[in-house]
Amino acid sequence: MGKSTKGQRIGILTAGGDCPGLNAAIRGVGKTAIVKYGMKVIGISDGFTGMIHNEYRKLREQDLSGILTMGGTILGTSREKPFKSDIKGQKEISKPALIRKHYEQMELDCLVCIGGNGTQKTANLLSLEGLNVIGIPKTIDNDVWGTDFTFGFDSAVNIAAEAIDRLHSTANSHKRIMVIEVMGHTAGWIALYSGIAAGGDVILIPEIEYNEDKIAEYLVHRAEENKPYSIVVIAEGIRNPMKDRSAAQFMCNRIKEMTGLEARETVLGYVQRGGTPSPMDRVLATRYGTAAADMIARREYGNMVALRNNDIVPVPLSEVTNKLNLVGPDNPLVLQAKNMGTSFGN
Ligand code: F6P
């Protein structure tokens, strides 16, 4: 029999690129752990870097108040991948060994790792090394396998859709083609959702190979039909042969060359990751956080909390790792958009 939940000490870290909703998730785990279970909560600084360098602070319930709506992460984050590199000049003790040492020194019963694919992979490796770990999936890209949605995605889609809405009026005034590039890494979720939400005429995603001729033909046809402007929404991960240019610059130039029409590009960038989370992300992050604390109380370690058909369920970290959640070519949203005349460039 282990110690009661009252004596349990849990660590929380946020790793990888930040996204809206991280503080809501930290609050969800921490408050439930403290209020419902009487656990002690430790906030680890800057993702796995804090575990390697033993940098942390105790979090009291009052430290978790007033952070729900805040963007970023009160704990800081980093892209540290402890299983990938050694500390320069310090070969004798590996980063995973330092993490284990500090986990033991902090007297942790569980480490909650809030992050995307890389973080869940590291969490799984730590779990295989015998640490008690729980994963919480976050990323604006929505590409973590095993869950229907990650938090951060809805906020990014809101920001991207608002930006595309604003391009419509300026595109109309000048009768131009507007190419807007959104994030998503190798996945097209943000482009697909924001493109549909804001009425993109062309949506290009990495999962669907585009044909330049088809895009040009489609845009010329629109112009000939007296549609004065067009909106082209592209994911950053689409095929881009010009390595020194953004995907938007490349596509915009090709469109100008091939159609003779006037076009401008916009790269939305990091605004998609900043600022306050959407209410949907606040709710999802809170649900994940509270479920993670419940899982720790039940000692169901080695799992990631996931959303499936609107239920929160545990998914083994070993199943999540090395897979990606990408847009399938038969995704109903793609088919429905095509049925309305939206082009995916294929
Ligand atoms: O994973 C989130 C994300 O914003 C991706 O959409 C993007 O490709 C990447 O992170 C940017 O990473 P960094 O913060 O290292 O510049």
Side-chain angles (χ1 to χ4, degrees):
M1 206 34 210
K3 45 181 158 172
S4 76
T5 58
K6 223 170 165 39
Q8 277 187 298
R9 275 168 79 87
I10 67 167
I12 307 175
L13 62 79
T14 52
D18 73 342
C19 75
L22 285 168
N23 290 320
I26 295 166
R27 173 179 175 270
V29 185
K31 285 210 173 201
T32 311
I34 296 167
V35 175
K36 183 173 176 193
Y37 296 112
M39 297 173 186
K40 302 273 180 294
V41 178
I42 306 288
I44 316 290
S45 306
D46 304 330
F48 293 105
T49 305
M51 286 304 292
I52 292 164
H53 298 293
N54 207 23
E55 285 161 1
Y56 64 90
R57 67 180 191 271
K58 196 180 159 210
L59 293 175
R60 301 158 304 165
E61 197 212 339
Q62 55 267 45
D63 299 321
L64 300 166
S65 288
I67 65 169
L68 172 64
T69 62
M70 279 167 52
T73 159
I74 58 163
L75 299 176
T77 185
S78 69
R79 290 216 182 259
E80 171 63 50
K81 292 187 174 72
F83 287 87
K84 274 211 159 160
S85 53
D86 283 323
I87 300 174
K88 279 198 186 81
Q90 192 178 339
K91 285 269 177 256
E92 64 280 6
I93 179 152
S94 70
K95 288 180 179 179
L98 281 168
I99 291 179
R100 167 183 284 281
K101 180 177 153 196
H102 297 141
Y103 177 97
E104 281 161 9
Q105 273 178 6
M106 288 179 219
E107 296 182 64
L108 296 182
D109 295 290
C110 182
L111 179 63
V112 179
C113 301
I114 309 176
N117 283 303
T119 304
Q120 304 310 326
K121 190 172 177 173
T122 302
N124 181 51
L125 292 170
L126 291 173
S127 171
L128 291 174
E129 296 232 332
L131 270 55
N132 296 330
V133 179
I134 294 281
I136 299 183
K138 71 93 213 184
T139 165
I140 62 165
D141 304 336
N142 197 39
D143 61 352
V144 177
W145 188 90
T147 186
D148 292 345
F149 289 102
T150 55
F151 70 81
F153 172 63
D154 184 68
S155 306
V157 169
N158 276 288
I159 296 161
E162 196 204 322
I164 301 166
D165 287 349
R166 288 176 185 277
L167 289 179
H168 277 269
S169 60
T170 170
N172 193 13
S173 308
H174 290 268
K175 319 231 172 327
R176 282 174 176 160
I177 294 168
M178 289 293 189
V179 178
I180 176 162
E181 175 184 317
V182 297
M183 282 185 165
H185 201 218
T186 59
W189 293 110
I190 301 176
L192 179 63
Y193 272 70
S194 63
I196 289 178
D201 304 299
V202 179
I203 301 174
L204 302 182
I205 59 175
E207 296 90 336
I208 300 178
E209 180 61 31
Y210 65 82
N211 174 323
E212 286 177 3
D213 293 330
K214 293 230 166 110
I215 299 169
E217 229 172 78
Y218 178 90
L219 292 170
V220 168
H221 181 68
R222 275 181 60 84
E224 284 169 357
E225 281 198 321
N226 292 326
K227 291 183 174 151
Y229 70 94
S230 294
I231 302 286
V232 180
V233 181
I234 69 173
E236 65 177 349
I238 62 161
R239 177 169 52 81
N240 172 12
M242 316 263 314
K243 294 296 162 227
D244 55 339
R245 303 250 173 111
S246 67
Q249 279 173 321
F250 163 70
M251 189 49 67
C252 191
N253 280 342
R254 287 303 290 143
I255 287 171
K256 283 194 265 192
E257 284 163 9
M258 295 182 76
T259 65
L261 297 167
E262 200 175 322
R264 294 285 189 275
E265 83 265 355
T266 303
V267 179
L268 197 54
Y270 292 89
V271 288
Q272 289 161 100
R273 269 175 33 186
T276 189
S278 68
M280 288 297 277
D281 273 340
R282 294 177 202 175
V283 172
L284 183 57
T286 301
R287 289 182 74 191
Y288 280 152
T290 55
D294 288 336
M295 251 180 238
I296 296 168
R298 294 194 299 268
R299 295 176 169 79
E300 292 174 3
Y301 307 124
N303 287 303
M304 181 185 84
V305 291
L307 185 75
R308 294 228 178 133
N309 299 322
N310 209 22
D311 283 331
I312 305 283
V313 295
V315 177
L317 281 165
S318 55
E319 276 182 32
V320 172
T321 193
N322 292 326
K323 291 185 196 138
L324 281 179
N325 173 32
L326 298 175
V327 180
D330 296 331
N331 183 294
L333 276 181
V334 172
L335 301 178
Q336 284 152 3
K338 278 187 177 171
N339 290 342
M340 294 187 307
T342 306
S343 167
F344 284 80
N346 65 342

